[in-house]
Amino acid sequence: MRLAPSTATAATLTRGPYLQLLTRQSVTVVWNTEAAAACALAIRPLDGMPTVRAGGTGTVCAIAVDGLTPGAAYAYAPLADGVPLAPEAVFRTDDANRPFSFLVIGDSGCDCSDQLAVRDTMLKTPADFILHTGDMVYDTGAPQDFDPSFFAPYRDLIRRLVLWPCLGNHDVETAGGAPWRDVFHTPANNPAGSEDYYSFDAGNAHVVVLDSNASTRPGSAQYTFLDHDLAASTATWKLVAFHHTIYSSGGVHGSNLTIRANLVPLFDAHGVDLVLMGHEHNYERTKPLRGNQVVSAGQGTTYITTGGGGQALYRVGSSSFTAHSESVHHFTRLAVNDGSLLAQMIRTDGTIGDEVMLMKGGVPLPPRCGDGLVNQPGEQCDGADRAACAGPCAADCTCAPVCGDGRVDPPAEACDGSDDAACPGLCLSSCRCGDPADFLTLPPAADTFIESGTQATWDHGAAAHLDASALSDLIYLKFDLSAVPAPVTRATLMLHCIDGSDDGGAIYPVADSRWVEGDRTGLDATSALGPGLKWSDVDTNGDVVVDTRDTSPWLPEFARAMRGFGSVVAGRDFTVDVTPAFQAGPGLYALAITTNSSNKVTYSSRESATPPVLRVELAPPGTTTTTSTSMTSTTSSTVPTTSTTVPTTSTSTTSTTTTSTTSSTTSSTSTTSTTVLATTTSTTSTTTTTSTTSSTVPTTSTTVPTTSTSTTSTTTSATSTTSTTTTSTTSSTTSSTSTTSTTVLATTTSTTSTTTTTSTTSSTVPTTSTTVPATTTSTTTTSTSTTTTPTSPSATTSTTTSVVPSTTTLPPGTTSTTTPPDDCQTDADCDRDDPCRPRRCVAQRCQDAPLMGLEAVRCALALEGERALACGGRRLPPTLSLALGRTRAAIEAAESSGSVKHARNALRGALRLLDAAARKLRKTEASHAIDADCGRALRGVLRDARVLAKRYLKNRPETAARTAVPRGPQRIGTAD
């Protein structure tokens, strides 16, 4: 029995599912949903029936399952209110008697194209789990960066392979790593109960993960844990992992000599075989070492620095202890088979850059084609180990020919990608030669770039170049596919590089394409007067970082990152596949490019002699798309079109919706189309919508199923129009229409209905269309009206007309009943009656303002009310509520104090109360008086308040003036 996802629940996945804490007999599955729902997990052996494990209710679900069979494969699906949220995924429990392999990656969480390149190669490499060596989420481990930097890129890996995490220096920069602890579950099997360091077993190996940001000196908690844990292990292989490398020839950080002095004696004493590290963005493997000296094989510890997971690379040299070093993006694969351990560095192209075999006991079996590992010269692949292949692996351990590998393989292929001598420039994605009519070459309809800093308010739309000068700068491109006659099979973006970089940029779709290109070149301050898109339009909260905390409609969709450009050099053209961004049918599309390198990258713009180009391959004639939505507008607000299809048996459906809005004033369009399908029913619906009104109420279209019925309908309306109506509207003023059309369907019946309506009113009422089944009936209805009053209903017509007032919907947790406008003259225009979310008027635009000093501390604790929503709205236990109340009172006393000295003293008292509240919280969780989600949310509140309070005491002497405390995450370490 296989479980399939459903749309019947209001909850949708926002993260996961992902696997944690895998053992021989248990696993924990974690996922997040947009709306609170009853959490449950359906799990089954691959050949068995599912059982359901129930959890709590909330938006964060973590369900532990035990009683599993060692080495067995299980399928699982997360449930919300009893409904599957995702297709089944399969994992395998650990088995002490089975060979296993795992992937090691470090310094990866950059949300960049090189991270995706490493990820793609990992997806093609068989493994049993993943171990990370830290710096999982750049730049500061902030909560809003976990999805784009980690969970979105690795979604397809971590739903089937358990991830064992490690804290890097960047991961602890926000609240000491609290966001990291909130999302990752570790055994915390140390005397202190800390989640930051732990150990686990895998096969016949024992792995210890340490937090190298914390103390490792002899006598420290970690040192003592490591000493006792290694001494107690009887595993064949002993491995240790942490972030800061202690044997490195790197040119940025080099070796951490303090940690080396602290831990190497323990490694030597307990016979640690392999130590895995990161921090240096390169690869380096040492010779066997003991007492810091090179020894013979099998007599010492091998140290591997594997920090090439995606972040910008660092140069690396060589030292007396170096066996191999290379500055390359990569991951490390370890394959363990009883007494042999094979370590391999795998580059993004799937080639093996370095490998070493460690042995214990007898002589290993010689490598051979068919052993499932690429482990000898001449092997391109071996079974499922095919990272270097575009397709499957052949029986002789070479990559099997496949369309898409860039080589023509006759007779099945006439061409393959750039190997197109038979038809230059006309090779189809199917590896057949196409016709010029199969392709379109489109220049951008608009392009620009935005920069932070002194040019944050500048328009660069008319510049002959597109720059990304800093990490957060963005390049924008817009392409017009409104007249494209067929669905897009493949879309390729080509840019001409003017100034090269080690990272040419990752590419993201931008949902809203209504940004304005502008007419300024960005050469001087007069560019601030231009109408084009500016940095300040996208960085809405003013924290000099464009991320998911910003609310701009032109924010890139960071969760939909596409493989971008790797290293680029000046004077050359570079291409990248952007097909996923162009699948919604005719319309305008926008892309954003951002680099992860501090080296500036520059491309030619459409104003230059070598403009960007989008090469589009069209689908063969007769191909249709299931749902197509596009939006074109010159106005300030558009609500996207939504199409929902509910399938049943033996159904073929094609629905195409095109929405076009043209107006000299603000307008919005919203169309909702719902199609209910029936047995052997084929329905084609095409809708074109044009609006010149100031507000539009959504349309609902419902088709009641019939038998053996084919219906084709075309709709054009001035506002919201249904699926069997053709409406044309002409008006010189703001107008709206209300159209009601009823079509009677029958077996083998063709029906057409046309209605033309003109009105000069200022509001729009919904249109309702109902299709009623009948028998052998053919009906054509045409009506014309000059008002919004419907014609008299017939026996088969139901019409309802109403004027719906405009309303404003606030997001959950918003306390203000109205939202201040973005335009302003004074600070008062931006006031939203929330002292913890101040806004100020800057350049006649409302912008989020930083909190100051003790305000930041008080407001951090004030978030208790919002985060306690995770507690299901229930009242907290009295002792915990009292502790939190006393802490708030102490912070408010510090804030209202008349002198800095008294404020500091009061704040020290508040810190003690924060510690007391944290102890109360731990006791409350231990007694199960609150659930895990509630406890995690409140722990985050207390951590944030404590960090801000301590920062206030550190940064503000008793004689100092009031100090601003930024609202965003603070960098407290050095860049890595």
Side-chain angles (χ1 to χ4, degrees), residues 682-698:
S682 175
T683 304
T684 302
S685 174
T686 303
T687 304
T688 303
T689 304
T690 306
S691 177
T692 57
T693 66
S694 59
S695 66
T696 303
V697 181

Side-chain angles (χ1 to χ4, degrees), residues 808-810 814-821 829-833 839:
T808 301
T809 302
L810 297 177
T814 304
T815 56
S816 176
T817 57
T818 60
T819 302
D829 296 333
C830 303
D831 186 16
R832 52 186 172 194
D833 297 326
R839 300 204 339 155

Side-chain angles (χ1 to χ4, degrees), residues 484-863:
V484 173
V488 173
T489 297
R490 181 174 57 185
T492 305
L493 176 66
M494 183 174 72
L495 298 179
H496 181 77
C497 182
I498 298 175
D499 191 358
S501 173
D502 56 354
D503 179 21
I507 303 176
Y508 308 88
V510 179
D512 195 325
S513 60
R514 294 172 302 153
W515 50 269
V516 177
E517 180 181 42
D519 57 9
R520 305 303 169 101
T521 59
L523 295 178
D524 53 49
T526 61
S527 295
L529 303 176
L533 183 67
K534 306 174 178 68
W535 172 273
S536 55
D537 296 327
V538 183
D539 180 22
T540 55
N541 63 0
D543 64 353
V544 200
V545 176
V546 171
D547 55 29
T548 53
R549 290 172 295 179
D550 295 302
T551 58
S552 171
W554 305 297
L555 189 71
E557 296 185 70
F558 289 115
R560 295 181 58 198
M562 292 175 286
R563 280 283 296 274
F565 302 99
S567 178
V568 294
V569 295
R572 290 180 53 190
D573 294 331
F574 292 88
T575 60
V576 65
D577 188 344
V578 291
T579 305
F582 292 88
Q583 295 299 298
L588 281 181
Y589 291 86
L591 302 174
I593 303 174
T594 180
T595 180
N596 189 55
S597 174
S598 57
N599 299 328
K600 173 182 177 181
V601 63
T602 303
Y603 299 106
S604 297
S605 75
R606 75 189 190 107
E607 286 79 11
S608 71
T610 52
V613 168
L614 184 71
R615 175 80 163 172
V616 175
E617 177 187 335
L618 303 178
T623 304
T624 60
T625 56
T626 301
T627 302
S628 301
T629 303
S630 64
M631 287 179 286
T632 306
S633 179
T634 57
T635 64
S636 61
S637 175
T638 297
V639 182
T641 298
T642 303
S643 178
T644 305
T645 302
V646 184
T648 61
T649 308
S650 303
T651 299
S652 172
T653 301
T654 302
S655 175
T656 304
T657 302
T658 304
T659 303
S660 176
T661 305
T662 56
S663 176
S664 59
T665 61
T666 303
S667 69
S668 75
T669 302
S670 176
T671 303
T672 303
S673 176
T674 303
T675 305
V676 182
L677 309 179
T679 305
T680 62
T681 298
S682 175
T683 304
T684 302
S685 174
T686 303
T687 304
T688 303
T689 304
T690 306
S691 177
T692 57
T693 66
S694 59
S695 66
T696 303
V697 181
T699 298
T700 301
S701 173
T702 304
T703 302
V704 181
T706 63
T707 304
S708 303
T709 300
S710 177
T711 303
T712 302
S713 60
T714 303
T715 304
T716 304
S717 78
T719 57
S720 306
T721 312
T722 61
S723 63
T724 58
T725 304
T726 303
T727 303
S728 175
T729 300
T730 305
S731 176
S732 60
T733 63
T734 302
S735 66
S736 63
T737 65
S738 173
T739 303
T740 301
S741 174
T742 300
T743 303
V744 182
L745 300 182
T747 305
T748 63
T749 298
S750 176
T751 303
T752 304
S753 174
T754 305
T755 303
T756 303
T757 305
T758 304
S759 176
T760 58
T761 61
S762 59
S763 64
T764 303
V765 296
T767 298
T768 303
S769 177
T770 304
T771 303
V772 183
T775 305
T776 58
T777 302
S778 179
T779 304
T780 301
T781 304
T782 304
S783 63
T784 303
S785 175
T786 57
T787 69
T788 58
T789 303
T791 58
S792 299
S794 65
T796 59
T797 304
S798 175
T799 304
T800 303
T801 303
S802 62
V803 177
V804 180
S806 176
T807 60
T808 301
T809 302
L810 297 177
T814 304
T815 56
S816 176
T817 57
T818 60
T819 302
D822 287 335
D823 297 329
C824 61
Q825 299 297 325
T826 67
D827 288 350
D829 296 333
C830 303
D831 186 16
R832 52 186 172 194
D833 297 326
D834 188 345
C836 290
R837 293 184 177 88
R839 300 204 339 155
R840 300 216 173 107
C841 187
V842 179
Q844 297 184 332
R845 297 277 293 179
C846 290
Q847 298 183 7
D848 289 337
L851 290 168
M852 307 293 289
L854 289 168
E855 283 182 325
V857 186
R858 173 177 54 77
C859 287
L861 198 61
L863 288 175

Side-chain angles (χ1 to χ4, degrees), residues 429-462:
S429 54
S430 59
C431 294
R432 296 180 296 104
C433 286
D435 185 87
D438 296 326
F439 299 89
L440 290 176
T441 300
L442 303 173
D447 59 19
T448 189
F449 64 96
I450 59 174
E451 288 190 6
S452 57
T454 57
Q455 298 188 25
T457 59
W458 288 18
D459 168 2
H460 302 88

Side-chain angles (χ1 to χ4, degrees), residues 26-42:
S26 63
V27 71
T28 296
V29 183
V30 189
W31 68 91
N32 292 21
T33 55
E34 184 177 14
C39 305
L41 183 75

Side-chain angles (χ1 to χ4, degrees), residues 191-243:
S194 171
E195 300 171 89
D196 300 352
Y197 57 99
Y198 59 93
S199 65
F200 66 96
D201 292 322
N204 64 344
H206 184 71
V207 184
V208 183
V209 179
L210 300 177
D211 175 15
S212 56
N213 301 285
S215 176
T216 57
R217 70 180 184 278
S220 66
Q222 280 199 108
Y223 182 95
T224 303
F225 165 71
L226 178 65
D227 188 11
H228 293 169
D229 186 83
L230 291 174
S233 175
T234 59
T236 303
W237 298 97
K238 294 181 180 180
L239 287 67
V240 178
F242 50 85
H243 182 62

